[in-house]
Amino acid sequence: MMRVAQGVAAAAVGIGFVLTTTTAVNTVSDCTKNPANCASLHSHDVEVPVSPNTPDRRKLDPVTTVRPEHSAGKNPIGVDDVEWKARTEAAALYRLLYIHDMGSDLAAQCVMHRIPGREEFLMGEWGLFFEEQTASAMLKYDFDGNLVYLNGTKEVAEPGRSNMGCIPVAVEIMKFRPDVQTVLHIHPLSVMAVGGLKDGLQPLSQAAFFLYGQVSREAYDFTYENSFADSLRRGFSNGKRAMLLNHHGLYAVGRDAAEAFFVAKHVKQACDVQVMTLGMAGADESAQLAPPAPTLIEQYKDMMASRDYAYDGSREWPGLVRQLQRRAADYNM
């Protein structure tokens, strides 16, 4: 899990990244070699609504993660319908991340999914693999870091069952960004590889283009310090959708489960393509085809305003739920 270093200072890096780190990052030589790309390091003024003009596929193709027999409080653990639906969505995310090769790194990663209207969120038990998670097995936490049992009693979360690194991440992001329902923390290999590069994520794929200015970056030394909350707030300010963790993985956020999954999927895709591209081009920058910053800004705005494609995951979500019904039908038990 992420541990944030003390005394952070901000510097811009990569494709609209903000890097918070305890040490200065020298990007002067990079700017000299590639001024157009360096200009894209400071692209944090491209905060525009995500796909406001695109029809929501979920209204045309309604699906639910809740089984019909589990409606009206008749679910296996007797919680109210709002919580049960959130539990099925959290379990769906765990299973989808596994199916799409984003959740097979043993048990150290997290899905953090808020119960609507409450200062409570759900997370899988630490030690269960992503392909084992179910709605009934989700653990519930409040914003004070307590584990909340089904009978309403609480106790301070402990590392025997709870991933203690993920709990404060969920709390800080959800408190700072009330629009966020879902936070995902995963460790895809290509994301870790890109997190080991000084320049971070580069504009080398369409997935990277639509994330332009939307991914912050965090350096950390595996210790929690007083700067932890400030770092997360800075990293997810101005509507940012993801954070690259140096050498470690990523956080992706969404207004719902569909959007968080969509963001995580495309951060991974952007990193996958970058690893492949740099593997072919090596250190030869002339072999890399990266649009200049002004083009990226206008292209990003055009993509977000599109009436055709949705960049919020809404178009894919019904199909993803049906995929679960075919491949992991017990997730919502």
Side-chain angles (χ1 to χ4, degrees):
M1 262 312 306
M2 190 189 80
R3 304 293 191 266
V4 184
Q6 189 172 16
V8 293
V13 175
I15 180 170
F17 279 169
V18 171
L19 171 65
T20 51
T21 180
T22 54
T23 58
V25 176
N26 179 15
T27 58
V28 175
S29 60
D30 302 319
C31 294
T32 302
K33 291 188 293 183
N34 196 343
N37 188 51
C38 192
S40 74
L41 307 183
H42 306 281
S43 60
H44 303 288
D45 59 345
V46 288
E47 184 182 359
V48 296
V50 176
S51 300
N53 303 319
T54 310
D56 190 332
R57 175 71 184 176
R58 292 169 293 192
K59 296 179 180 179
L60 303 171
D61 184 10
V63 298
T64 179
T65 51
V66 176
R67 294 175 178 233
E69 64 269 27
H70 291 164
S71 61
K74 297 177 182 178
N75 57 77
I77 56 176
V79 297
D80 63 77
D81 287 353
V82 173
E83 179 174 333
W84 182 250
K85 184 173 186 289
R87 284 174 169 272
T88 62
E89 290 171 345
L93 285 166
Y94 274 109
R95 298 296 189 95
L96 286 168
L97 289 166
Y98 179 75
I99 288 170
H100 290 265
D101 196 27
M102 292 184 284
S104 58
D105 183 24
L106 299 181
Q109 307 165 96
C110 312
V111 168
M112 298 152 273
H113 191 56
R114 186 173 186 170
I115 301 173
R118 306 176 193 176
E119 291 191 344
E120 295 177 325
F121 65 95
L122 303 163
M123 189 167 69
E125 183 169 348
W126 202 9
L128 296 182
F129 284 16
F130 276 35
E131 68 270 29
E132 297 179 296
Q133 301 286 357
T134 63
S136 297
M138 291 296 117
L139 299 181
K140 181 167 63 173
Y141 301 88
D142 65 19
F143 279 13
D144 293 321
N146 295 309
L147 178 63
V148 182
Y149 291 99
L150 293 176
N151 64 6
T153 61
K154 301 179 181 182
E155 67 178 18
V156 176
E158 296 289 344
R161 301 181 68 196
S162 304
N163 189 323
M164 302 303 295
C166 284
I167 292 172
V169 172
V171 171
E172 291 300 335
I173 293 176
M174 291 175 185
K175 286 169 60 177
F176 177 65
R177 288 275 303 275
D179 61 309
V180 168
Q181 184 186 11
T182 309
V183 182
L184 304 180
H185 174 50
I186 55 176
H187 310 143
L189 297 181
S190 63
V191 175
M192 287 191 277
V194 171
L197 295 175
K198 182 169 61 177
D199 290 337
L201 185 60
Q202 295 298 306
L204 297 172
S205 67
Q206 184 171 342
F209 298 163
F210 101 76
L211 291 165
Y212 184 74
Q214 305 306 305
V215 183
S216 60
R217 190 172 184 184
E218 173 63 32
Y220 57 97
D221 64 358
F222 291 93
T223 60
Y224 277 119
E225 300 292 352
N226 295 332
S227 59
F228 172 73
D230 290 339
S231 176
L232 285 176
R233 286 193 291 267
R234 183 165 47 248
F236 284 99
S237 63
N238 301 321
K240 296 290 186 297
R241 306 179 77 183
M243 175 183 280
L244 179 71
L245 308 172
N246 285 2
H247 310 106
H248 182 74
L250 67 86
Y251 296 136
V253 303
R255 293 165 292 182
D256 53 28
E259 183 171 32
F261 181 83
F262 183 88
V263 172
K265 176 81 171 176
H266 286 84
V267 172
K268 178 183 180 295
Q269 185 182 103
C271 291
D272 287 348
V273 173
Q274 180 168 324
V275 169
M276 295 175 187
T277 301
L278 297 184
M280 294 185 294
D284 182 3
E285 291 188 3
S286 66
Q288 302 171 29
L289 186 62
T295 299
L296 288 165
I297 292 172
E298 292 308 311
Q299 182 171 252
Y300 175 79
K301 292 179 179 179
D302 182 68
M303 294 169 87
M304 293 304 105
S306 171
R307 297 187 69 253
D308 179 40
Y309 190 66
Y311 294 91
D312 59 4
S314 60
R315 191 174 297 279
E316 291 85 0
W317 188 250
L320 289 169
V321 172
R322 288 192 294 271
Q323 184 179 59
L324 281 177
Q325 292 167 351
R326 294 190 301 270
R327 299 183 58 178
D330 64 334
Y331 78 94
N332 55 4
M333 293 296 291

